[in-house]
Amino acid sequence: MVSPVIIHKVIGGELQEPQPDLLAIEEPLEIRLGFGPVDNRQQRSLSVTMRTPGADGPGADQELALGYLYAEGIIRSASDVVSCRHCVQDAAKQGNVLRVELQPSVTIDWQLLERHTYASSSCGICGKASIDAVRASCPAKMTATGFAVSASVLQSLSDHVQVAQRAFAYTGGVHAAALFDAAGKVLMLREDVGRHNALDKLIGAALWNDQVPLQQYGIFLSGRIGFELVQKAWMAEVPVLVAVGAPTSLAVDMAKEAGITLIGFMRNQRFNVYTGLERVMVDEGVRLEKR
């Protein structure tokens, strides 16, 4: 999760004595798929992503892989997976290669998948063809009924999430994705150097817990909101997506298309609602309305 290092601080133009510090670990994870009928099993490398190993316990890589496979539309439930374990044949890559065995009944459209594969800790989707391919696998637009959250609850989220961010407290160099309920309770949190990975881990963990679709929860993100993060939330049917940072124009467009309440710049008791204002309430339980 963390790696020790010696640093030299400069304060007010003066060099300080060397002192220890901690860095977030970043290592590659290759996800391989085992698929096909029982009498003709095949293996294929799906993606390589840079992630923080062990940030959320020994099962974090498995959660990341499952969340990623779900977001890509490869699996629809945890029951589509037979096993998910690290490969140990290659000593040089030990712990950094994960093989996911799919049920024989799971079929993969590799041609469609290759049009919108974008796994890395920092990149996104490029091109209209890729965006159209992603939209094709997303569920129907969500309605505004059901889950709603008060402004006061939203304003307290940053503090609740920060308390739960163990890796960030040590390093200051990882992102977080947190699942919260209508009362603002943080139910689950995952951390990683990659914003996408943190969200994949969170959705993967929820998938194992049989909580997906996440129609009665919101998700809080520690960074900015890009198109691909909204897409992952849409696939998991998350009605409210909140972030410390700003959304991109494409993220707002997709949130509107998905029926997601998108909130950014959540800091200092203030926030901006970009889409889905009807899910945000004042403390008396009245939903906010446009003036």
Side-chain angles (χ1 to χ4, degrees):
M1 180 174 69
V2 297
S3 176
V5 66
I6 299 298
I7 63 171
H8 298 270
K9 281 191 176 183
V10 176
I11 301 177
E14 294 186 4
L15 181 64
Q16 309 297 307
E17 291 293 322
Q19 59 183 278
D21 199 6
L22 294 172
L23 301 177
I25 295 177
E26 184 177 31
E27 291 182 358
L29 176 68
E30 179 186 356
I31 301 173
R32 296 177 184 173
L33 291 185
F35 62 96
V38 175
D39 58 351
N40 186 28
R41 297 293 287 178
Q42 301 178 51
Q43 175 178 279
R44 182 165 173 175
S45 180
L46 177 65
S47 69
V48 176
T49 184
M50 301 303 295
R51 96 304 190 192
T52 303
D56 303 293
D61 285 347
Q62 286 84 352
E63 292 173 351
L64 192 163
L66 291 178
Y68 177 73
L69 294 177
Y70 187 83
E72 293 298 317
I74 296 174
I75 62 173
R76 302 311 308 150
S77 70
S79 62
D80 287 335
V81 176
V82 176
S83 64
C84 183
R85 57 173 62 97
H86 288 96
C87 298
V88 296
Q89 293 91 340
D90 189 342
K93 295 182 178 180
Q94 188 168 351
N96 286 334
V97 179
L98 195 72
R99 175 164 170 140
V100 183
E101 290 289 343
L102 302 178
Q103 293 284 1
S105 59
V106 177
T107 58
I108 304 173
D109 187 340
W110 290 102
Q111 195 170 32
L112 177 64
L113 184 63
E114 286 169 357
R115 294 177 70 185
H116 63 94
T117 294
Y118 52 90
S120 87
S121 63
S122 59
C123 71
I125 296 177
C126 299
K128 184 178 184 299
S130 296
I131 293 170
D132 289 343
V134 167
R135 284 195 175 106
S137 62
C138 287
K141 182 175 181 177
M142 287 177 274
T143 64
T145 58
F147 185 82
V149 62
S150 72
S152 60
V153 164
L154 289 169
Q155 290 166 346
S156 68
L157 276 176
S158 294
D159 292 338
H160 294 327
V161 171
Q162 189 172 2
V163 169
Q165 282 188 264
R166 292 188 306 133
F168 182 83
Y170 287 123
T171 68
V174 293
H175 288 283
L179 189 73
F180 65 91
D181 62 16
K185 182 179 179 180
V186 175
L187 306 173
M188 191 187 311
L189 181 141
R190 295 294 183 267
E191 294 180 283
D192 199 275
V193 288
R195 294 176 298 119
H196 312 136
N197 295 340
L199 184 53
D200 280 338
K201 287 178 180 179
L202 185 71
I203 293 174
L207 193 65
W208 272 127
N209 294 337
D210 199 28
Q211 293 173 284
V212 177
L214 296 168
Q215 296 171 346
Q216 296 302 315
Y217 307 97
I219 285 182
F220 180 95
L221 303 173
S222 63
R224 63 180 180 83
I225 310 175
F227 168 93
E228 65 283 359
L229 295 176
V230 176
Q231 181 263 335
K232 291 176 186 292
W234 188 3
M235 287 294 288
E237 299 184 49
V238 178
V240 177
L241 193 58
V242 185
V244 172
T248 65
S249 61
L250 202 54
V252 172
D253 290 344
M254 172 154 274
K256 192 177 299 182
E257 184 178 345
I260 290 174
T261 296
L262 188 63
I263 297 172
F265 287 110
M266 174 59 68
R267 60 185 74 167
N268 300 325
Q269 301 296 304
R270 300 177 64 180
F271 57 89
N272 297 340
V273 182
Y274 294 88
T275 63
L277 181 65
E278 62 275 3
R279 289 197 186 91
V280 181
M281 303 182 300
V282 293
D283 287 339
E284 290 77 11
V286 180
R287 294 174 188 257
L288 295 177
E289 295 180 358
K290 296 180 182 178
R291 294 182 178 178

